[in-house]
């Protein structure tokens, strides 16, 4: 996390089927209190113009498209994302060293040409929907924690800024990777909120205590009657935990 001042810890997942709903929610939030995450569904329906709109409103935008392809294709996608002005991009660590290095070079080169701060480039380790049975089914050896650590080391060796991981792995990764390696934890569920399809979900407080830097929070905020109040409550709880 060497290329930025401290950004808001909470990233609100704009997991909506269309841009109008996402922007309506964004209008209730403050970019000084949170960033926002744009994932596959929203980007597919609303496209880059929505991302540009959110950037123009002052939000740190995490473009969560999990690029995973041959190195040249991923490099070109990362360049396009950098030109959008997003704050964070992610790629699958399973794409391998050459793909990761190509993404890093592309982000650096594009940002330098634009004369702007480069976005954070984060590796996806394991999706939080995957537990031990799913790993065995796809032929990945070891426990989820062991696989995540392998992917994190691969990501760091390629010069990326950090990884997406579950809160369950955050403490071990913080110990292994040091204080400057960014940890982004999705699947955050405050107490009393269902975990949906996240097999390795934990509370925001758990994640912060374990060493997470950024927390992706969805319907605990987006489905709240007062999203800004819900955001403020979660922010206050993690400050106490920190």
């Amino acid at each position: 996390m060497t290329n930025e001042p401290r950004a808001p810890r909470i990233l609100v997942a704009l997991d909506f089927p269309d841009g109008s709903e996402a922007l309506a929610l964004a209008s209730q939030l403050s970019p000084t209190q949170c960033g926002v995450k744009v994932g596959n569904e929203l980007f597919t329906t609303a496209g880059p113009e929505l991302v540009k709109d959110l950037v123009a409103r002052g939000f740190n935008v995490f473009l969560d498209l999990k690029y995973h392809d041959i190195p040249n294709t991923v490099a070109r996608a990362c360049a396009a994302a950098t030109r959008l002005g997003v704050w964070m991009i992610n790629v699958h660590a399973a794409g391998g060293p050459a793909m990761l290095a190509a993404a890093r070079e592309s982000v650096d080169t594009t940002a330098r040409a634009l004369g702007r701060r480069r976005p954070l480039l984060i590796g996806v380790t394991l999706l939080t929907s995957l537990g031990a049975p799913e790993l065995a089914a796809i032929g990945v050896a070891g426990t989820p924690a062991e696989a995540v650590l392998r992917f994190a080391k691969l990501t760091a060796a390629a010069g990326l800024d950090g990884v997406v991981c579950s809160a369950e792995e955050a403490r071990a990764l913080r110990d292994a990777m040091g204080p400057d390696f960014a940890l982004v934890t999705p699947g955050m569920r405050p107490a009393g909120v269902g975990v949906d399809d996240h097999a390795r979900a934990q509370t925001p407080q758990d994640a912060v205590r374990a060493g997470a830097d950024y927390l992706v929070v969805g319907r605990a905020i987006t489905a709240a009657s007062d999203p800004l109040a819900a955001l403020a409550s979660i922010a206050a709880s993690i400050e106490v935990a920190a």
Side-chain angles (χ1 to χ4, degrees), residues 89-93 99-101 103-104 118 121-124 154-163 180-182:
I89 304 165
N90 61 1
V91 299
H92 266 288
M99 191 205 80
L100 295 173
R104 167 83 289 156
R118 65 169 175 80
L121 183 60
I122 304 295
V124 177
L154 181 67
T155 300
L160 275 66
D161 298 295
V163 293
D180 296 325
F181 193 71

Side-chain angles (χ1 to χ4, degrees), residues 1 3 7 27 40 55-56 90 100 199 222:
M1 299 189 299
N3 77 313
S27 69
N40 284 298
V55 170
N90 61 1
L100 295 173
T222 61

Side-chain angles (χ1 to χ4, degrees), residues 88-120:
M88 182 187 289
I89 304 165
N90 61 1
V91 299
H92 266 288
M99 191 205 80
L100 295 173
R104 167 83 289 156
E105 175 63 22
S106 177
V107 166
D108 289 350
T109 300
T110 304
R112 189 162 53 247
L114 293 169
R116 65 173 60 150
R117 189 187 301 274
R118 65 169 175 80
L120 291 173

Side-chain angles (χ1 to χ4, degrees), residues 37-236:
K37 180 189 80 85
V38 174
N40 284 298
E41 180 185 19
L42 182 58
F43 191 81
T44 299
T45 58
E49 292 306 315
L50 175 100
V51 175
K52 292 177 183 178
D53 192 330
L54 293 167
V55 170
R57 294 177 186 224
F59 286 102
N60 285 342
V61 177
F62 170 24
L63 190 60
D64 179 27
L65 301 184
K66 303 179 180 71
Y67 298 130
H68 188 178
D69 212 310
I70 63 174
N72 184 60
T73 298
V74 169
R76 291 167 67 89
C78 286
T82 301
R83 289 192 292 270
L84 289 177
V86 302
W87 165 76
M88 182 187 289
I89 304 165
N90 61 1
V91 299
H92 266 288
M99 191 205 80
L100 295 173
R104 167 83 289 156
E105 175 63 22
S106 177
V107 166
D108 289 350
T109 300
T110 304
R112 189 162 53 247
L114 293 169
R116 65 173 60 150
R117 189 187 301 274
R118 65 169 175 80
L120 291 173
L121 183 60
I122 304 295
V124 177
T125 53
L126 289 180
L127 301 177
T128 53
S129 59
L130 299 180
E134 290 79 18
L135 288 190
I138 61 175
V140 175
T143 66
E146 291 167 340
V148 166
L149 182 56
R150 287 198 303 271
F151 282 130
K153 290 180 176 178
L154 181 67
T155 300
L160 275 66
D161 298 295
V163 293
V164 179
C165 65
S166 91
E168 289 184 9
E169 293 99 31
R171 187 176 302 281
L173 288 181
R174 179 60 67 218
D175 291 342
M177 308 305 295
D180 296 325
F181 193 71
L183 302 181
V184 181
T185 54
M188 292 292 94
R189 294 293 188 270
V193 177
V195 299
D196 297 330
D197 57 355
H198 293 280
R200 306 193 322 278
Q202 291 198 9
T203 70
Q205 297 94 319
D206 290 336
V208 169
R209 292 188 188 105
D213 296 295
Y214 302 109
L215 317 178
V216 179
V217 183
R219 65 187 183 90
I221 293 172
T222 61
S225 58
D226 186 340
L228 191 58
L231 169 62
S233 175
I234 295 171

